[in-house]
Amino acid sequence: MSIDTGLDAAVRLLALGYANRLKEVKQHFVGRDEVVDLLGLAALCQEHILVIGPPGTAKTNLLDRFCQVLDTEPFSYLLTRFTEPAELFGPLNVELFQKESIYEINTEGMLPEARVAFLDEVFQGSSAILNTLLTLINERTFHTGRTVVRTPLVTLVGSSNEIPADPVLGAFSDRFLLRCNLDYVADDEVEEVLALGWQGERERIARGWNEEGDAAPLTDRERTLVSIAPDDLRTLQRAVAGIDVSEVRGTYTRILQSFRAEGIAFSDRRAVRAQKLFAASALAAGRNSAQPSDLARLVNLWTDPRDEPSIRRIVADHGVPVQEAGGRVRELFEILQVDLQELVARRDQADTREQLHELMRQTQRLASELRRDHPEDHEALRTVQREQRTTVELFREKYGDEGLY
C-alpha cells in the first residue's frame, strides 16, 4: 500500500497519535467504536453530534473518557421544559446590574466557557435556550448584554430518544452534522459489558474518597495514558483544510444525486459541510487526500433515521466500503502500520501478566478484523499472527503456561 508523502510529517505524527488515543477510549467500552470515531472526527471538524437512543447506554461515561483525550472537563446538563437559561449559560451579575445598570452574565464554569458539552434531551429546551444555542454552536459566540464574546466550544453532543417531528426543532437538529443511533449492546456482548463494567466499579470503590469528602483523583489505569494538548488539536483542525478531497468529489456528487432521486432529506448545508468530515477522516488515517473509504461516514449524516438503511445501500452501491451499522472497514495501513506497530512497542515495555494478556487480546482482535474485512490478504494475517506468537512466547518465558488462556 502506498503511503502519502504530501502530509507534513509532524502533522501526520500528531494525527496518528490522536487516532491511537481514540483507540484507548474504545478499549473501555463494548460496542461503542462508532460513537468514539464520530467524537474524534467532530473534534477535528469542530462539528456537533446528535445521539439518538435510550438512557443507560454509557453516553456520559463515554464522553468523560473522551474529554480526557482533549484534556478538558465536559459541561453536562439534562434539559427539561422547565430548565432556565441561567442554568446553562450562567446567572446575571446582579451586583453589577444594580450598581452600574450593566447587564452581564457570569459564565464561569458554564456552557459558554466549555470546550466540550453534553446536553441530554436537547430538544426539551425552551425557545430562549435553543435560540441561544443556535448562535453558540453555529458561530461560537455568546451575547452577554451588548457584548459578544468568543467561546472555546470544540463540539457539542446532544442526545434524545427520537428526532422531533416539529419542523422548527427539525431546523435546529440540522445544525448537528453527525448522527449516531446508540442502543443497548447486543446479546452476545453482554458478558463483556459486565466484565468491563465491574472492573470500572472496582476501581471507583478502591479509589474511594479523600479526607475532604471529594472523589479521589483517577488512577493511572483509569485515565487515558496521553492527552492531546489544545494547541496540537488546533494544529490538526487547521490541517483539515489542507486535505485534498477532489478525488472523491465525483463519487460524492453521484451519491448526492442518488439521494435526491430517492427523496432522501439531505440539505445543501449538510452536503457542503460533509466534505470537512471526509477530510478529517483522511487526516486521522495519516493521509493527505480523501479516498472512497472516507465517504463511508455518510451513513452518519442522515436527517431522518428512517433514511439510514437507504443511505447505507446507496453509498455501498457507489463502491464505498460500508460495514454493518456501528462499524467501518479500515485500511490495511491503519491496521498494520498504526495499530500493530503500537502493540509491538507496548509489548517491549510490558512488565506484568495483565499487560501481556491485554496485548494478546488486542492482537487477536486485529487478526479477527483482518479475517472479516480483508479475507484475501493472507500476508497481512500472517504478519499479525507472527506477532501473536511472539507475545505468547514472551508470556511463557516469564510466567509459564499457567494462566495463559
Side-chain angles (χ1 to χ4, degrees), residues 4 7 34-35 76 93 107 140 149 162 228 245 248 251 259 291 300 329 346 351 371 373 381 392:
D4 266 326
L7 193 63
E34 180 180 48
V35 69
S76 301
N93 188 331
T107 60
R140 284 355 191 249
V149 297
E162 59 183 0
I228 180 167
V245 298
V248 299
T251 302
F259 287 174
Q291 296 179 358
N300 298 108
V329 177
R346 288 169 55 190
D351 54 10
R371 292 189 186 95
D373 296 339
L381 179 59
V392 170

Side-chain angles (χ1 to χ4, degrees), residues 288-310:
N288 192 45
S289 59
Q291 296 179 358
S293 60
D294 298 310
L295 298 178
R297 281 307 174 199
L298 280 167
V299 302
N300 298 108
L301 302 187
W302 42 264
T303 300
D304 187 328
R306 293 171 295 185
D307 289 335
E308 184 185 2
S310 297

Side-chain angles (χ1 to χ4, degrees), residues 6 28 105 118 168 174 200 210 230 259 263 299 333 385 397:
H28 294 273
I105 302 297
F118 172 50
V168 175
D174 196 52
N210 61 25
F259 287 174
V299 302
F333 171 78
Q385 289 173 331
E397 288 176 10

Side-chain angles (χ1 to χ4, degrees), residues 41 45 177-178 273-282 297 301:
L41 292 174
C45 295
L177 177 63
L178 293 155
R273 287 162 58 190
Q275 295 176 100
K276 287 196 297 183
L277 186 64
F278 310 149
S281 175
R297 281 307 174 199
L301 302 187

Side-chain angles (χ1 to χ4, degrees), residues 143-206:
H143 293 256
T144 170
R146 296 182 179 179
T147 304
V148 179
V149 297
R150 296 287 301 176
T151 70
L153 185 67
V154 173
T155 185
L156 185 144
V157 180
S159 75
S160 177
N161 287 328
E162 59 183 0
I163 299 287
D166 186 333
V168 175
L169 292 177
F172 172 71
S173 87
D174 196 52
R175 267 57 177 191
F176 292 85
L177 177 63
L178 293 155
R179 309 297 176 92
C180 181
N181 284 308
L182 199 61
D183 208 341
Y184 302 120
V185 300
D187 290 348
D188 59 356
E189 295 176 317
V190 170
E191 185 173 356
E192 190 175 357
V193 168
L194 296 177
L196 277 176
W198 179 237
Q199 176 181 306
E201 291 299 321
R202 290 177 63 189
E203 289 169 347
R204 278 186 283 275
I205 293 170

Side-chain angles (χ1 to χ4, degrees), residues 88-106:
L88 297 181
F89 309 115
L92 174 67
N93 188 331
V94 177
E95 183 178 0
L96 186 62
F97 184 74
Q98 289 176 338
K99 289 183 177 180
E100 303 180 34
S101 298
I102 295 177
Y103 187 92
E104 181 179 276
I105 302 297
N106 180 8

Side-chain angles (χ1 to χ4, degrees), residues 312-371:
R312 194 174 291 277
R313 170 179 51 78
I314 290 170
V315 170
D317 286 347
H318 283 81
V320 177
V322 177
Q323 206 180 35
E324 68 276 4
R328 69 181 177 95
V329 177
R330 298 197 301 161
E331 299 172 12
L332 286 172
F333 171 78
E334 187 175 353
I335 297 172
L336 298 179
Q337 300 301 319
V338 180
D339 284 26
L340 185 61
Q341 290 305 311
E342 182 183 4
L343 292 180
V344 170
R346 288 169 55 190
R347 183 180 64 205
D348 295 338
Q349 300 173 356
D351 54 10
T352 69
R353 181 190 301 261
E354 290 74 18
Q355 288 173 338
L356 287 174
H357 258 302
E358 177 65 16
L359 290 172
M360 285 189 284
R361 185 177 69 84
Q362 292 183 33
T363 311
Q364 179 59 42
R365 280 188 175 181
L366 292 186
S368 298
E369 183 177 359
L370 286 171
R371 292 189 186 95

